[in-house]
Amino acid sequence: MSYAAIDAARVAKAAKSALQTLSTVKEQSEAHQRKTIMIERIEALATAAADTKDCNQITLTSEEFWLISKNW
């Protein structure tokens, strides 16, 4: 599994954008719900990291990055 340290503020912004995109989809399958929950979790962690003094990065797996970038 690949990991990367990425700017937390940018991840939070991208996750928020992905959540807005997902909220426009009328699908309510279990896969859609899991995807939304995962992105909500990433957004919360990235926001917390961005708001923490001297902490401006968050580590994502390649799958987490793909999940966010696929939906923004």
Side-chain angles (χ1 to χ4, degrees):
M1 187 176 296
S2 301
Y3 294 89
I6 305 172
D7 180 70
R10 291 181 72 187
V11 171
K13 183 178 177 183
K16 185 172 279 214
S17 177
L19 288 170
Q20 288 174 345
T21 301
L22 287 171
S23 71
T24 64
V25 176
K26 295 185 194 258
E27 180 182 350
Q28 291 301 316
S29 67
E30 182 180 346
H32 178 80
Q33 291 173 357
R34 286 175 170 266
K35 185 186 306 184
T36 301
I37 290 168
M38 181 78 143
I39 295 174
E40 287 173 342
R41 178 186 151 272
I42 293 168
E43 193 265 337
L45 291 170
T47 299
D51 291 344
T52 302
K53 185 178 183 205
D54 298 328
C55 179
N56 59 354
Q57 292 187 347
I58 186 169
T59 302
L60 296 178
T61 65
S62 56
E63 289 82 6
E64 290 169 331
F65 181 81
W66 177 85
L67 181 63
I68 293 173
S69 64
K70 183 81 171 163
N71 290 292
W72 67 32

PDB file of all heavy atoms in Angstrom, residues 19-37 40:
ATOM      1  N   LEU A  19     -17.589  15.666  -0.941  1.00  0.00           N
ATOM      2  CA  LEU A  19     -18.839  15.451  -0.213  1.00  0.00           C
ATOM      3  C   LEU A  19     -19.990  16.216  -0.858  1.00  0.00           C
ATOM      4  O   LEU A  19     -21.118  15.716  -0.916  1.00  0.00           O
ATOM      5  CB  LEU A  19     -18.684  15.844   1.255  1.00  0.00           C
ATOM      6  CG  LEU A  19     -17.836  14.889   2.092  1.00  0.00           C
ATOM      7  CD1 LEU A  19     -17.544  15.497   3.458  1.00  0.00           C
ATOM      8  CD2 LEU A  19     -18.531  13.541   2.228  1.00  0.00           C
ATOM      9  N   GLN A  20     -19.720  17.415  -1.345  1.00  0.00           N
ATOM     10  CA  GLN A  20     -20.767  18.169  -2.032  1.00  0.00           C
ATOM     11  C   GLN A  20     -21.202  17.446  -3.301  1.00  0.00           C
ATOM     12  O   GLN A  20     -22.396  17.373  -3.606  1.00  0.00           O
ATOM     13  CB  GLN A  20     -20.275  19.577  -2.357  1.00  0.00           C
ATOM     14  CG  GLN A  20     -20.158  20.467  -1.149  1.00  0.00           C
ATOM     15  CD  GLN A  20     -19.539  21.819  -1.471  1.00  0.00           C
ATOM     16  OE1 GLN A  20     -18.951  22.005  -2.526  1.00  0.00           O
ATOM     17  NE2 GLN A  20     -19.659  22.749  -0.545  1.00  0.00           N
ATOM     18  N   THR A  21     -20.233  16.910  -4.022  1.00  0.00           N
ATOM     19  CA  THR A  21     -20.550  16.158  -5.233  1.00  0.00           C
ATOM     20  C   THR A  21     -21.359  14.920  -4.902  1.00  0.00           C
ATOM     21  O   THR A  21     -22.365  14.625  -5.558  1.00  0.00           O
ATOM     22  CB  THR A  21     -19.252  15.757  -5.971  1.00  0.00           C
ATOM     23  OG1 THR A  21     -18.534  16.941  -6.311  1.00  0.00           O
ATOM     24  CG2 THR A  21     -19.550  14.959  -7.223  1.00  0.00           C
ATOM     25  N   LEU A  22     -20.940  14.186  -3.882  1.00  0.00           N
ATOM     26  CA  LEU A  22     -21.663  12.971  -3.493  1.00  0.00           C
ATOM     27  C   LEU A  22     -23.071  13.277  -2.997  1.00  0.00           C
ATOM     28  O   LEU A  22     -23.982  12.464  -3.168  1.00  0.00           O
ATOM     29  CB  LEU A  22     -20.887  12.216  -2.411  1.00  0.00           C
ATOM     30  CG  LEU A  22     -19.629  11.498  -2.886  1.00  0.00           C
ATOM     31  CD1 LEU A  22     -18.843  10.979  -1.695  1.00  0.00           C
ATOM     32  CD2 LEU A  22     -19.985  10.370  -3.833  1.00  0.00           C
ATOM     33  N   SER A  23     -23.267  14.434  -2.386  1.00  0.00           N
ATOM     34  CA  SER A  23     -24.598  14.775  -1.870  1.00  0.00           C
ATOM     35  C   SER A  23     -25.605  15.042  -2.992  1.00  0.00           C
ATOM     36  O   SER A  23     -26.810  14.966  -2.769  1.00  0.00           O
ATOM     37  CB  SER A  23     -24.521  15.981  -0.935  1.00  0.00           C
ATOM     38  OG  SER A  23     -24.262  17.161  -1.659  1.00  0.00           O
ATOM     39  N   THR A  24     -25.122  15.329  -4.196  1.00  0.00           N
ATOM     40  CA  THR A  24     -26.030  15.579  -5.314  1.00  0.00           C
ATOM     41  C   THR A  24     -26.505  14.287  -5.975  1.00  0.00           C
ATOM     42  O   THR A  24     -27.461  14.304  -6.730  1.00  0.00           O
ATOM     43  CB  THR A  24     -25.358  16.461  -6.391  1.00  0.00           C
ATOM     44  OG1 THR A  24     -24.245  15.764  -6.945  1.00  0.00           O
ATOM     45  CG2 THR A  24     -24.914  17.791  -5.814  1.00  0.00           C
ATOM     46  N   VAL A  25     -25.835  13.180  -5.648  1.00  0.00           N
ATOM     47  CA  VAL A  25     -26.198  11.885  -6.218  1.00  0.00           C
ATOM     48  C   VAL A  25     -27.379  11.310  -5.440  1.00  0.00           C
ATOM     49  O   VAL A  25     -27.378  11.312  -4.218  1.00  0.00           O
ATOM     50  CB  VAL A  25     -24.995  10.913  -6.154  1.00  0.00           C
ATOM     51  CG1 VAL A  25     -25.379   9.543  -6.659  1.00  0.00           C
ATOM     52  CG2 VAL A  25     -23.821  11.476  -6.929  1.00  0.00           C
ATOM     53  N   LYS A  26     -28.372  10.830  -6.150  1.00  0.00           N
ATOM     54  CA  LYS A  26     -29.564  10.296  -5.490  1.00  0.00           C
ATOM     55  C   LYS A  26     -29.389   8.853  -5.048  1.00  0.00           C
ATOM     56  O   LYS A  26     -30.259   8.282  -4.410  1.00  0.00           O
ATOM     57  CB  LYS A  26     -30.761  10.434  -6.414  1.00  0.00           C
ATOM     58  CG  LYS A  26     -31.096  11.886  -6.690  1.00  0.00           C
ATOM     59  CD  LYS A  26     -32.348  12.019  -7.494  1.00  0.00           C
ATOM     60  CE  LYS A  26     -32.461  13.391  -8.029  1.00  0.00           C
ATOM     61  NZ  LYS A  26     -33.209  14.355  -7.586  1.00  0.00           N
ATOM     62  N   GLU A  27     -28.261   8.273  -5.379  1.00  0.00           N
ATOM     63  CA  GLU A  27     -27.998   6.873  -5.011  1.00  0.00           C
ATOM     64  C   GLU A  27     -27.899   6.731  -3.495  1.00  0.00           C
ATOM     65  O   GLU A  27     -27.333   7.568  -2.817  1.00  0.00           O
ATOM     66  CB  GLU A  27     -26.680   6.431  -5.654  1.00  0.00           C
ATOM     67  CG  GLU A  27     -26.299   5.021  -5.345  1.00  0.00           C
ATOM     68  CD  GLU A  27     -24.965   4.635  -5.950  1.00  0.00           C
ATOM     69  OE1 GLU A  27     -24.424   5.389  -6.761  1.00  0.00           O
ATOM     70  OE2 GLU A  27     -24.477   3.567  -5.594  1.00  0.00           O
ATOM     71  N   GLN A  28     -28.442   5.654  -2.961  1.00  0.00           N
ATOM     72  CA  GLN A  28     -28.386   5.405  -1.521  1.00  0.00           C
ATOM     73  C   GLN A  28     -27.920   3.986  -1.217  1.00  0.00           C
ATOM     74  O   GLN A  28     -28.271   3.427  -0.182  1.00  0.00           O
ATOM     75  CB  GLN A  28     -29.755   5.667  -0.882  1.00  0.00           C
ATOM     76  CG  GLN A  28     -30.149   7.131  -0.880  1.00  0.00           C
ATOM     77  CD  GLN A  28     -29.153   8.012  -0.131  1.00  0.00           C
ATOM     78  OE1 GLN A  28     -28.698   7.659   0.952  1.00  0.00           O
ATOM     79  NE2 GLN A  28     -28.796   9.132  -0.714  1.00  0.00           N
ATOM     80  N   SER A  29     -27.115   3.428  -2.108  1.00  0.00           N
ATOM     81  CA  SER A  29     -26.629   2.062  -1.896  1.00  0.00           C
ATOM     82  C   SER A  29     -25.650   2.028  -0.717  1.00  0.00           C
ATOM     83  O   SER A  29     -25.154   3.056  -0.260  1.00  0.00           O
ATOM     84  CB  SER A  29     -25.912   1.558  -3.147  1.00  0.00           C
ATOM     85  OG  SER A  29     -24.720   2.297  -3.354  1.00  0.00           O
ATOM     86  N   GLU A  30     -25.379   0.832  -0.248  1.00  0.00           N
ATOM     87  CA  GLU A  30     -24.429   0.678   0.844  1.00  0.00           C
ATOM     88  C   GLU A  30     -23.040   1.167   0.429  1.00  0.00           C
ATOM     89  O   GLU A  30     -22.342   1.803   1.217  1.00  0.00           O
ATOM     90  CB  GLU A  30     -24.352  -0.776   1.289  1.00  0.00           C
ATOM     91  CG  GLU A  30     -23.405  -0.982   2.462  1.00  0.00           C
ATOM     92  CD  GLU A  30     -23.317  -2.412   2.919  1.00  0.00           C
ATOM     93  OE1 GLU A  30     -24.155  -3.245   2.531  1.00  0.00           O
ATOM     94  OE2 GLU A  30     -22.378  -2.702   3.672  1.00  0.00           O
ATOM     95  N   ALA A  31     -22.649   0.922  -0.803  1.00  0.00           N
ATOM     96  CA  ALA A  31     -21.351   1.377  -1.296  1.00  0.00           C
ATOM     97  C   ALA A  31     -21.260   2.908  -1.270  1.00  0.00           C
ATOM     98  O   ALA A  31     -20.243   3.473  -0.870  1.00  0.00           O
ATOM     99  CB  ALA A  31     -21.103   0.861  -2.709  1.00  0.00           C
ATOM    100  N   HIS A  32     -22.326   3.559  -1.678  1.00  0.00           N
ATOM    101  CA  HIS A  32     -22.368   5.028  -1.661  1.00  0.00           C
ATOM    102  C   HIS A  32     -22.277   5.546  -0.223  1.00  0.00           C
ATOM    103  O   HIS A  32     -21.550   6.510   0.055  1.00  0.00           O
ATOM    104  CB  HIS A  32     -23.647   5.521  -2.332  1.00  0.00           C
ATOM    105  CG  HIS A  32     -23.793   7.004  -2.330  1.00  0.00           C
ATOM    106  ND1 HIS A  32     -23.134   7.803  -3.236  1.00  0.00           N
ATOM    107  CD2 HIS A  32     -24.496   7.841  -1.528  1.00  0.00           C
ATOM    108  CE1 HIS A  32     -23.432   9.075  -2.988  1.00  0.00           C
ATOM    109  NE2 HIS A  32     -24.264   9.112  -1.963  1.00  0.00           N
ATOM    110  N   GLN A  33     -22.994   4.918   0.676  1.00  0.00           N
ATOM    111  CA  GLN A  33     -22.955   5.333   2.079  1.00  0.00           C
ATOM    112  C   GLN A  33     -21.568   5.129   2.681  1.00  0.00           C
ATOM    113  O   GLN A  33     -21.068   5.988   3.402  1.00  0.00           O
ATOM    114  CB  GLN A  33     -24.007   4.577   2.882  1.00  0.00           C
ATOM    115  CG  GLN A  33     -25.418   4.975   2.524  1.00  0.00           C
ATOM    116  CD  GLN A  33     -26.468   4.100   3.193  1.00  0.00           C
ATOM    117  OE1 GLN A  33     -26.143   3.149   3.894  1.00  0.00           O
ATOM    118  NE2 GLN A  33     -27.730   4.432   2.979  1.00  0.00           N
ATOM    119  N   ARG A  34     -20.923   4.013   2.369  1.00  0.00           N
ATOM    120  CA  ARG A  34     -19.574   3.753   2.874  1.00  0.00           C
ATOM    121  C   ARG A  34     -18.581   4.779   2.335  1.00  0.00           C
ATOM    122  O   ARG A  34     -17.709   5.261   3.051  1.00  0.00           O
ATOM    123  CB  ARG A  34     -19.108   2.349   2.475  1.00  0.00           C
ATOM    124  CG  ARG A  34     -19.762   1.249   3.244  1.00  0.00           C
ATOM    125  CD  ARG A  34     -19.307  -0.097   2.677  1.00  0.00           C
ATOM    126  NE  ARG A  34     -19.713  -1.188   3.497  1.00  0.00           N
ATOM    127  CZ  ARG A  34     -18.955  -1.742   4.443  1.00  0.00           C
ATOM    128  NH1 ARG A  34     -17.750  -1.298   4.661  1.00  0.00           N
ATOM    129  NH2 ARG A  34     -19.410  -2.742   5.149  1.00  0.00           N
ATOM    130  N   LYS A  35     -18.703   5.097   1.050  1.00  0.00           N
ATOM    131  CA  LYS A  35     -17.833   6.082   0.418  1.00  0.00           C
ATOM    132  C   LYS A  35     -18.003   7.437   1.094  1.00  0.00           C
ATOM    133  O   LYS A  35     -17.020   8.112   1.418  1.00  0.00           O
ATOM    134  CB  LYS A  35     -18.186   6.187  -1.069  1.00  0.00           C
ATOM    135  CG  LYS A  35     -17.283   7.077  -1.867  1.00  0.00           C
ATOM    136  CD  LYS A  35     -17.764   7.260  -3.299  1.00  0.00           C
ATOM    137  CE  LYS A  35     -17.990   5.976  -4.036  1.00  0.00           C
ATOM    138  NZ  LYS A  35     -18.372   6.169  -5.443  1.00  0.00           N
ATOM    139  N   THR A  36     -19.233   7.831   1.337  1.00  0.00           N
ATOM    140  CA  THR A  36     -19.510   9.113   1.982  1.00  0.00           C
ATOM    141  C   THR A  36     -18.940   9.156   3.395  1.00  0.00           C
ATOM    142  O   THR A  36     -18.301  10.142   3.785  1.00  0.00           O
ATOM    143  CB  THR A  36     -21.035   9.372   2.001  1.00  0.00           C
ATOM    144  OG1 THR A  36     -21.508   9.374   0.652  1.00  0.00           O
ATOM    145  CG2 THR A  36     -21.353  10.706   2.647  1.00  0.00           C
ATOM    146  N   ILE A  37     -19.128   8.096   4.153  1.00  0.00           N
ATOM    147  CA  ILE A  37     -18.605   8.047   5.521  1.00  0.00           C
ATOM    148  C   ILE A  37     -17.082   8.126   5.520  1.00  0.00           C
ATOM    149  O   ILE A  37     -16.484   8.833   6.340  1.00  0.00           O
ATOM    150  CB  ILE A  37     -19.104   6.775   6.243  1.00  0.00           C
ATOM    151  CG1 ILE A  37     -20.600   6.899   6.513  1.00  0.00           C
ATOM    152  CG2 ILE A  37     -18.331   6.527   7.529  1.00  0.00           C
ATOM    153  CD1 ILE A  37     -21.258   5.611   6.953  1.00  0.00           C
ATOM    154  N   GLU A  40     -16.096  11.672   4.775  1.00  0.00           N
ATOM    155  CA  GLU A  40     -16.381  12.510   5.949  1.00  0.00           C
ATOM    156  C   GLU A  40     -15.283  12.349   6.997  1.00  0.00           C
ATOM    157  O   GLU A  40     -14.842  13.329   7.602  1.00  0.00           O
ATOM    158  CB  GLU A  40     -17.727  12.138   6.562  1.00  0.00           C
ATOM    159  CG  GLU A  40     -18.915  12.592   5.761  1.00  0.00           C
ATOM    160  CD  GLU A  40     -20.238  12.067   6.289  1.00  0.00           C
ATOM    161  OE1 GLU A  40     -20.259  11.089   7.059  1.00  0.00           O
ATOM    162  OE2 GLU A  40     -21.267  12.646   5.912  1.00  0.00           O
TER     163      GLU A  40
END
